[in-house]
Amino acid sequence: MLKPSPTLSIAARANAMKAEGVDVISLSAGEPDFETPEPIRAAAIEAINSGFTKYTPTSGIKDLKEAIIHKLSVENQVAAAVENVVVSCGAKQSLYNAMMVLLEPGDEVLLIAPYWMTYAEQARLAGAVPVVVHTDASTGFTPTAEQIIEKITPRTRAIVLNSPSNPSGALYSRETTKAIAQLALRHDLWVISDEIYDRLVYGEKATSIASLGSDIAERTVTVGGCSKTYAMTGWRIGFAAAPKPVALAMTNLQDQVTSNPNSFAQKGAVKAFRMPSDQCEPMRAEFEARRDLIIGLLREIPNVDVSMPKGAFYALPNLSAYLRGRITDDICLAEHLLDKAMVATVPGTVFEAPGHIRMSYAASRENIRRGIERIANALQELSA
Ligand SMILES: Cc1ncc(COP(=O)(O)O)c(C=O)c1O
């Protein structure tokens, strides 16, 4: 039985409260609160008006693939050809395609916790077994090679990477990424590298594992998209860059499931991936300022332990000091924060991070200030 996405269900409950007139502050959403930049919108409108409204090739139009190849080369130092690229209805579908074609029933897939729960559910859909590698704040939620190797068995087929990470904001250093590449080669693993947050970094740059050599690129599916960097969550455009046979299998699967992603959204995405990076810089810089704001405010609350996220737009404070009495776990705590503080968050259990609460800072500074103040008051009441 598939688990429903609690992230979406909390957001739905918060929306229902909002519809009833309750002043709910949402720190639960996984999407930028900015408008899609105007040139991207204009390109899609132009595509509609010029009749670009029919089926396209299943794996995407050539000019979009070329824009993605350009992005991968310039930003990620990943080499790809048109035959390696499959455009899908969001990175989520790209990940699903990859899991379905790479995994056989009974295969084990390594997930590095805290992780985005979709990986586990998609792996299960493919009949595979998620195996969790636990990390904690002491290493900035980064795994060591030893922690990963400990979980490898003869059934291990793949490892999923997500740096920068949802929910921890962890960014794996180049050295860590190299160590993971080496162990993937040594243990004959596929790497599914979800790099959807690659541009939302606040210091060090993200390292694409497929950039580290042709041997590791030959066993890596690099997944990306425009949802987060360009505030295009509703457009549903994501991509995978994979070795040719894998890309072909993913295309054949998609052919029978959804066919091509939306034609005019693809035209908008061409514009996005070709956009000069300084045009997205204000959004990235605003996320960085919000990160500093939310972490500063959280660190003022007694007994809250929170590490500094290096990327994405989530804080993952450890609130286990507040789990007592009727607040038995982080799920109760997130419900309590919604009911009493009217702030929507996501319980860490969803990401295999019990005792933690995920707070998205894809919210205005004003809402971050108000939201954390309410949370601080609710926590103070709990400890009184
Ligand atoms: C880690 C991660 N990967 C992938 C996605 C999905 O992105 P898309 O909108 O391109 O399907 C999300 C969205 O929340 C995410 O957090």
Side-chain angles (χ1 to χ4, degrees):
M1 178 73 169
L2 265 185
K3 287 191 198 150
S5 162
T7 325
L8 296 181
S9 61
I10 291 195
R13 209 174 130 207
N15 284 339
M17 286 168 72
K18 274 187 202 166
E20 284 166 18
V22 182
D23 173 28
V24 175
I25 295 172
S26 177
L27 300 182
S28 63
E31 61 183 351
D33 53 328
F34 305 117
E35 286 287 349
T36 304
E38 196 279 333
I40 300 173
R41 287 183 274 143
I45 291 166
E46 157 65 18
I48 293 178
N49 288 339
S50 62
F52 196 74
T53 53
K54 305 281 197 279
Y55 291 129
T56 75
T58 292
S59 60
I61 55 177
K62 189 154 176 275
D63 46 349
L64 178 52
K65 290 187 180 184
E66 283 168 353
I68 290 167
I69 290 165
H70 168 80
K71 173 243 170 340
L72 284 169
S73 157
V74 172
E75 293 171 5
N76 306 81
Q77 291 74 52
V78 170
V82 168
E83 302 76 35
N84 300 116
V85 177
V86 184
V87 185
S88 299
C89 306
K92 204 176 222 178
Q93 189 183 22
S94 306
L95 290 161
Y96 175 78
N97 287 343
M99 302 257 190
M100 292 305 275
V101 306
L102 293 178
L103 304 175
E104 300 287 339
D107 283 350
E108 292 174 359
V109 188
L110 299 175
L111 304 181
I112 298 165
Y115 60 80
W116 190 46
M117 72 168 297
T118 292
Y119 305 138
E121 297 309 313
Q122 290 188 344
R124 289 191 188 102
L125 279 170
V129 181
V131 173
V132 180
V133 177
H134 291 278
T135 69
D136 60 34
S138 66
T139 58
F141 297 104
T142 294
T144 62
E146 292 69 35
Q147 283 173 317
I148 298 172
I149 290 166
E150 228 170 65
K151 297 292 171 112
I152 294 177
T153 75
R155 297 306 314 248
T156 313
R157 177 99 170 130
I159 180 166
V160 179
L161 303 181
N162 176 216
S163 167
S165 152
N166 172 12
S168 70
L171 179 73
Y172 300 171
S173 68
R174 199 171 173 80
E175 286 317 305
T176 296
T177 313
K178 271 188 189 162
I180 296 173
Q182 278 160 8
L183 73 84
L185 288 166
R186 219 167 36 239
H187 293 273
D188 193 19
L189 306 183
W190 283 101
V191 180
I192 300 174
S193 183
D194 178 358
E195 302 181 12
I196 188 89
Y197 295 99
D198 62 349
R199 297 287 300 284
L200 298 178
V201 288
Y202 313 117
E204 203 183 320
K205 279 188 145 190
T207 302
S208 293
I209 193 164
S211 73
L212 296 177
S214 53
D215 46 1
I216 189 67
E218 272 306 306
R219 51 178 63 243
T220 299
V221 180
T222 303
V223 172
C226 36
S227 288
K228 316 287 179 177
T229 307
Y230 305 99
M232 292 173 68
T233 45
W235 293 61
R236 311 311 303 130
I237 298 290
F239 67 83
K244 278 182 207 167
V246 177
L248 183 62
M250 289 170 70
T251 303
N252 290 342
L253 171 65
Q254 186 165 300
D255 225 1
Q256 303 307 334
V257 182
T258 54
S259 300
N260 62 278
N262 176 296
S263 58
F264 41 90
Q266 290 189 62
K267 286 287 189 186
V270 172
K271 201 78 186 169
F273 289 124
R274 295 240 179 233
M275 203 169 215
S277 56
D278 58 342
Q279 288 192 29
C280 307
E281 175 53 21
M283 291 195 277
R284 192 211 62 81
E286 176 60 23
F287 280 130
E288 183 166 358
R290 293 170 179 187
R291 174 197 69 157
D292 294 347
L293 175 67
I294 196 167
I295 298 297
L297 292 170
L298 285 168
R299 285 182 173 168
E300 284 172 17
I301 307 174
N303 300 316
V304 170
D305 192 15
V306 62
S307 48
M308 183 60 93
K310 294 183 177 169
F313 41 62
Y314 309 100
L316 191 68
N318 183 342
L319 299 183
S320 40
Y322 292 92
L323 305 182
R324 42 190 143 115
R326 65 203 161 76
I327 308 290
T328 47
D329 58 23
D330 53 275
I331 299 174
C332 290
L333 183 59
E335 279 165 4
H336 182 80
L337 294 178
L338 184 55
D339 293 337
K340 291 285 174 311
M342 294 169 296
V343 182
T345 58
V346 185
T349 293
V350 166
F351 312 100
E352 291 260 357
H356 295 68
I357 294 279
R358 191 193 75 174
M359 300 176 187
S360 162
Y361 50 89
S364 69
R365 296 191 206 191
E366 168 69 4
N367 278 349
I368 290 171
R369 272 194 210 96
R370 290 171 61 227
I372 301 300
E373 189 185 338
R374 288 186 192 181
I375 288 174
N377 292 338
L379 292 178
Q380 202 180 353
E381 269 172 37
L382 278 181
S383 51

